[in-house]
Amino acid sequence: MLDNVFLKYIDAYLLVFGEINTQVMMQKFDICRAKSSRIFTIYREGRPTNMRYDFSRKYYVKGAVFEPIYLKDESATRFLAAIDTVFTD
């Protein structure tokens, strides 16, 4: 169940900020790098066109063809705000 929250978070974060990396996930959810990397792998397998990895910046960047697959009809900003309430830094 928590993996689904992580996947929704990636959808929302990409929609709002246009980029994300493992550090963002590790800091927000207090997870290890291996768990964060696994979540990104699952996300990319579900929708490879949603993001691409920028090796020079070490960030995943929102793809030119982006369709949120986990967030569905939820508001990205509201979802991020709710996550901020539950998972404080």
Side-chain angles (χ1 to χ4, degrees), residues 16-51:
V16 173
F17 299 106
E19 61 186 23
I20 191 170
N21 67 6
T22 57
Q23 290 294 329
V24 170
M25 297 292 287
M26 290 167 55
Q27 290 174 357
K28 177 54 67 184
F29 297 107
D30 193 29
I31 58 176
C32 67
R33 180 173 300 281
K35 174 72 173 178
S36 182
S37 294
R38 188 176 68 78
I39 296 299
F40 279 109
T41 298
I42 293 167
Y43 187 91
R44 285 192 325 267
E45 287 171 353
R47 183 64 65 132
T49 61
N50 269 7
M51 64 183 180

Side-chain angles (χ1 to χ4, degrees), residues 31-86:
I31 58 176
C32 67
R33 180 173 300 281
K35 174 72 173 178
S36 182
S37 294
R38 188 176 68 78
I39 296 299
F40 279 109
T41 298
I42 293 167
Y43 187 91
R44 285 192 325 267
E45 287 171 353
R47 183 64 65 132
T49 61
N50 269 7
M51 64 183 180
R52 64 175 176 75
Y53 191 71
D54 183 331
F55 287 95
S56 64
R57 295 181 50 233
K58 297 183 180 178
Y59 267 84
Y60 291 98
V61 179
K62 185 171 128 181
V65 178
F66 182 88
E67 182 182 336
I69 55 174
Y70 300 100
L71 195 60
K72 309 263 188 232
D73 296 329
E74 295 176 61
S75 163
T77 53
R78 276 196 231 153
F79 181 79
L80 293 176
I83 290 296
D84 283 344
T85 300
V86 176

